[in-house]
Amino acid sequence: MNKALVSVVMGSDSDLPVMSEALDVLNEFGVGNEVLVLSAHRTFEATREYALSAVADGTKVIIAGAGGAAHLPGVIAAMFPLPVIGVPIKGKTMDGLDSLLSIVQMPPGIPVSTVGINAAKNAGLLAVEILAASDKELLKKLHEYRNKQKESVLAKTKKLKALGYQKYLEVLKK
Ligand code: RP5
């Protein structure tokens, strides 16, 4: 794997099932990455040390996921001047709305680019898009990815027309 350009950081290993979707995307695009568990609250010293040295370590984008009082992305953004993408993790209460609101309402001057609740896949894609702005190979892969996606949706329309919605539903249920 290439040098880690994207860091995927999460508040707890309990976030990993969701955050692994960002790692899958980065791996699919061949983007070098690293993965860490760091908490804004439980390991605040280590989080500070990590965020302050990330630029010098070559990190270009940080994807940070947290749930509940989800301060990790904002705290990292305060210390890391390059793009931070926040992933609100759905916890045991409030359907993730608490995480979303904790991450999205940053003070003007310190942005966190926030994706949807549990939307780590989009966070991975956003990181790829940011890097693709200055990487032609990656941009080509993004075009291919979107074309493949388009073909798969159009194929569904074709199948839906051919089967009719009731048969299509039966196939979906299987
Ligand atoms: C947050 O608290 C973490 O990001 C996680 O989503 C949540 C619960 O953490 P655990 O109690 O599962 O370690 O800081």
Side-chain angles (χ1 to χ4, degrees):
M1 181 59 69
N2 311 326
K3 189 161 112 35
L5 298 177
V6 179
S7 281
V8 176
V9 188
M10 61 206 81
S12 169
D13 59 355
S14 63
D15 301 326
L16 187 59
V18 171
M19 296 305 286
S20 64
E21 291 181 25
L23 292 162
D24 288 345
V25 170
L26 297 170
N27 290 336
E28 183 181 342
F29 280 88
V31 172
N33 59 77
E34 61 176 358
V35 55
L36 300 93
V37 175
L38 282 174
S39 163
H41 310 114
R42 293 167 176 160
T43 68
F44 62 91
E45 301 98 332
T47 300
R48 179 178 185 275
E49 199 179 315
Y50 158 76
L52 289 176
S53 56
V55 170
D57 289 344
T59 306
K60 305 292 182 210
V61 181
I62 295 176
I63 299 172
H71 298 141
L72 184 65
V75 162
I76 289 177
M79 296 180 273
F80 177 74
L82 297 176
V84 174
I85 303 168
V87 183
I89 304 286
K90 182 174 168 174
K92 293 181 190 114
T93 56
M94 290 185 246
D95 281 340
L97 200 57
D98 47 349
S99 319
L100 174 65
L101 297 179
S102 299
I103 294 175
V104 79
Q105 292 290 5
M106 286 298 289
I110 307 289
V112 167
S113 174
T114 310
V115 296
I117 296 165
N118 280 359
K121 180 178 177 178
N122 268 358
L125 282 168
L126 202 50
V128 170
E129 289 175 12
I130 289 165
L131 296 174
S134 56
D135 182 331
K136 281 186 186 155
E137 264 309 299
L138 213 46
L139 186 58
K140 198 173 149 230
K141 285 185 191 171
L142 265 174
H143 280 306
E144 286 163 7
Y145 177 90
R146 288 188 173 211
N147 272 337
K148 233 162 112 184
Q149 186 169 248
K150 180 172 70 186
E151 292 310 326
S152 118
V153 174
L154 293 176
K156 286 174 188 169
T157 289
K158 215 171 159 187
K159 192 171 159 190
L160 186 53
K161 276 188 181 164
L163 292 180
Y165 80 92
Q166 284 163 325
K167 270 218 170 109
Y168 194 101
L169 265 179
E170 278 169 30
V171 177
L172 268 187
K173 279 179 204 154
K174 276 177 198 161

